[in-house]
Amino acid sequence: MSQGTKALFIIFGATGDLAHRKLYPAIYKLYKKGFLGESFAVIGTARREWSDDYYQDVVMDSISDLTESEDHARTFASHFRYQSHNVNDTKHYHTLKDLADKLDEEYDIDGNRIFYLSMSPSFFGTITSHLKEQNLVTENGFNRVIIEKPFGSDFNSSKELNDEINASFDEDQLYRIDHYLGKEMVQNILALRFSNRLIENSWNKASISNIQITLSEDLGVEERGEYYDKSGALRDMVQNHVLQMVSLLTMNSPKAFTTEEVRKEKMAILNALKDPVVTQDEDTEFVRGQYDTSIDGETKGYRDEDKVDPESLTETFVAGKIIIDTDKWRDTPIYIRTGKRLAEKTSRVDVVFKPSQTALFDDKPTVLSILVSPNEGFKLLLNNKKIGPGMELESVRLSAVRSEETVEESPEAYEKLILDVLNGDETHFAHWQEVATSWKYVDQIRKKWDSFTDSIPFYPALTMGPDEADTLLQNDGNNWIYKA
């Protein structure tokens, strides 16, 4: 472990916000913990004209809160080089190859290369074809490509993108990153379900009334108005994060904890998703919304955001009822909601169990809550006899929430996912078939919404969404468990 994995990272989009906030700190943590030794190097590429020294100072700044010492940080940063790069210019790839080969020899990397595409998807095909044609793909080591979302904007565009990339790289070389799959409590879902007999035996439609997934953000679109107005919450959150969590929460136990077996069971769920009913009346299974000015008037509405169409019908909120058309889950709705400018930032799952079959007590449902972020842990809401005469019940909560210190010290999602790439473990990444099937499901909703051109429901900023989201559950006799 002390020598770590040998690898050369080539990061396209090295001057961007993601690289500064997530990638450099993640790589540094892996270096500090010994998963990367001295036999590693990083080439950052982007259009800007930066020197190696300036780039290394940028890296130093990004890890300033994590460093053991100035000398340790400087030694780490010395492994970084920068090349100004036009992704469409063949000559630049020849220069990039020369630098990569030089660093490979200097740091004894053995040809292991990780290409990180942190740029617009419109460049993915161009970059991967040049990497192959200009011989940046080595024959003596591993070659792996990390791809940031969005992976297309619908099924057709994602397939076209995938075909372009597959012309140069095989599927087992591709790592489509979904940072939710790197979150500790999302990875914990399978451990919770399949290592606790109490949970495992009751995880079915006979015991569970419904499952609720809430991924809410209190921020608006910030500087992403132009991108977001073409995307919306459905494409930005549901197609990837939400449906990945749905598959983990409902998949059957894999025969073994291997990439192939986990993917097989996830795909069985995604293939079983019932076509969504999307209408403009109460029968709909998916509703949308857009944040308006807050009740106190201090937070502006979505249409007032920079680079947003003042008549935009883009949804900043989605709530839906997902039905899995299998004998095990057909009668158990999965309610999802996600949006911007909601009352609180939280990611959580609430599993609502059915009341007891006996008529002895007027009991409330048992609820298991999986807290993903910012808090991490579990809460279990149970019925308990009130102290005193009679048999009146009250709710009690069993809680196992990790301390802020524990959460702070835990590996961040990007750190774990980059380590998985170094180890060649694809379990926590989205396979093309998962991406394709998710897009086909989401495209049905998108097509319907695009035909509703007259209006969109609004909700005041910093609330939990439009009234239609509450009606969606109330029509089934249910209510949202989490109320900010």
Side-chain angles (χ1 to χ4, degrees), residues 274-412:
K274 177 180 170 288
D275 290 348
V277 175
V278 185
T279 63
Q280 288 184 288
D281 55 35
E282 287 194 355
D283 292 331
T284 188
E285 292 176 347
F286 271 82
V287 301
R288 59 181 177 161
Q290 185 185 100
Y291 67 83
D292 203 352
T293 308
S294 60
I295 294 171
D296 61 12
E298 294 186 6
T299 304
K300 61 186 176 183
Y302 175 71
R303 293 181 177 184
D304 297 322
E305 298 279 13
D306 188 37
K307 296 184 179 178
V308 169
D309 182 349
E311 296 182 356
S312 175
L313 294 177
T314 298
E315 78 286 349
T316 61
F317 175 92
V318 176
K321 178 169 72 172
I322 296 175
I323 302 296
I324 298 169
D325 200 9
T326 64
D327 290 340
K328 182 176 181 179
W329 291 113
R330 191 171 293 116
D331 301 323
T332 304
I334 300 171
Y335 301 112
I336 63 101
R337 60 178 169 173
T338 182
K340 291 190 172 295
R341 281 286 186 235
L342 298 181
E344 228 172 56
K345 176 179 176 60
T346 189
S347 298
R348 60 185 286 151
V349 177
D350 295 293
V351 182
V352 185
F353 291 87
K354 293 179 178 178
S356 172
Q357 291 180 304
T358 70
L360 293 177
F361 304 105
D362 182 19
D363 53 321
K364 296 180 176 64
T366 299
V367 179
L368 172 64
S369 298
I370 305 171
L371 309 180
V372 177
S373 66
N375 297 320
E376 292 184 1
F378 303 103
K379 291 184 178 180
L380 181 62
L381 192 67
L382 297 172
N383 291 297
N384 179 57
K385 177 191 172 298
K386 271 189 176 180
I387 296 174
M391 292 297 290
E392 188 178 353
L393 300 182
E394 64 178 356
S395 295
V396 295
R397 192 181 302 277
L398 305 182
S399 179
V401 179
R402 293 168 180 167
S403 68
E404 288 185 18
E405 182 181 7
T406 299
V407 173
E408 186 69 27
E409 292 177 353
S410 297
E412 200 267 349

Side-chain angles (χ1 to χ4, degrees), residues 7-281:
L8 169 65
F9 296 85
I10 301 178
I11 301 175
F12 293 87
T15 61
D17 180 63
L18 177 71
H20 191 273
R21 285 190 304 109
K22 298 293 185 181
L23 304 189
Y24 304 143
I27 295 171
Y28 177 68
K29 288 178 181 177
L30 294 174
Y31 176 74
K32 188 162 66 169
K33 294 174 182 178
F35 293 108
L36 282 174
E38 296 303 322
S39 293
F40 90 96
V42 178
I43 301 174
T45 76
R47 282 187 173 273
R48 297 180 190 177
E49 298 283 348
W50 284 4
S51 66
D52 288 346
D53 288 343
Y54 183 78
Y55 183 43
Q56 290 172 11
D57 286 342
V58 169
V59 172
M60 290 277 287
D61 177 70
S62 76
I63 64 172
S64 58
D65 294 336
L66 306 171
T67 54
E68 290 184 356
S69 67
E70 177 80 14
D71 288 343
H72 190 262
R74 182 59 67 186
T75 300
F76 169 75
S78 70
H79 290 251
F80 286 68
R81 303 290 189 278
Y82 184 81
Q83 179 186 308
S84 179
H85 186 82
N86 179 345
V87 297
N88 295 305
D89 191 335
T90 301
K91 292 180 181 178
H92 282 211
Y93 290 91
H94 290 303
T95 306
L96 186 62
K97 180 183 185 302
D98 291 342
L99 178 57
D101 291 345
K102 176 185 174 184
L103 292 174
D104 191 291
E105 183 176 351
E106 179 180 343
Y107 288 103
D108 188 30
I109 293 174
D110 294 342
N112 295 332
R113 292 186 180 173
I114 294 173
F115 306 99
Y116 203 120
L117 308 189
S118 180
M119 299 184 70
S120 166
S122 61
F123 296 118
F124 290 175
T126 299
I127 293 171
T128 52
S129 64
H130 276 297
L131 292 175
K132 185 75 171 179
E133 291 168 8
Q134 271 67 64
N135 299 315
L136 277 108
V137 177
T138 62
E139 296 181 358
N140 60 317
F142 63 70
N143 293 269
R144 295 164 186 163
V145 182
I146 304 177
I147 304 170
E148 279 287 343
K149 75 163 191 145
F151 197 81
S153 58
D154 55 18
F155 170 72
N156 289 334
S157 62
S158 65
K159 184 179 186 305
E160 181 179 348
L161 182 60
N162 197 66
D163 289 345
E164 288 180 353
I165 296 172
N166 280 160
S168 303
F169 291 90
D170 296 332
E171 178 63 30
D172 62 4
Q173 295 176 297
L174 304 180
Y175 293 76
R176 298 175 192 83
I177 206 159
D178 181 337
H179 72 275
Y180 264 78
L181 295 182
K183 288 183 178 290
E184 191 64 41
M185 293 306 298
V186 172
Q187 294 188 356
N188 212 339
I189 289 172
L190 297 186
L192 171 73
R193 290 187 55 201
F194 301 124
S195 68
N196 296 286
R197 186 145 191 183
L198 175 69
I199 299 294
E200 187 175 18
N201 288 353
S202 57
W203 206 267
N204 51 56
K205 69 178 182 181
S207 299
I208 295 177
S209 165
N210 64 87
I211 299 174
Q212 303 178 14
I213 300 173
T214 299
L215 308 181
S216 68
E217 299 179 62
D218 55 359
L219 294 177
V221 294
E222 309 305 298
E223 293 84 26
R224 299 172 70 221
E226 187 174 17
Y227 159 76
Y228 197 89
D229 209 33
K230 298 173 184 175
S231 172
L234 184 69
R235 291 185 175 119
D236 194 43
M237 296 292 288
V238 177
Q239 182 273 330
N240 38 69
H241 309 324
V242 170
L243 290 181
Q244 284 289 330
M245 290 179 69
V246 167
S247 65
L248 292 171
L249 286 163
T250 56
M251 60 182 265
N252 287 335
S253 176
K255 292 179 181 178
F257 194 74
T258 63
T259 298
E260 293 74 19
E261 290 298 326
V262 170
R263 281 180 172 172
K264 176 183 174 183
E265 297 302 337
K266 286 169 68 179
M267 276 305 303
I269 292 298
L270 294 173
N271 282 325
L273 296 179
K274 177 180 170 288
D275 290 348
V277 175
V278 185
T279 63
Q280 288 184 288
D281 55 35

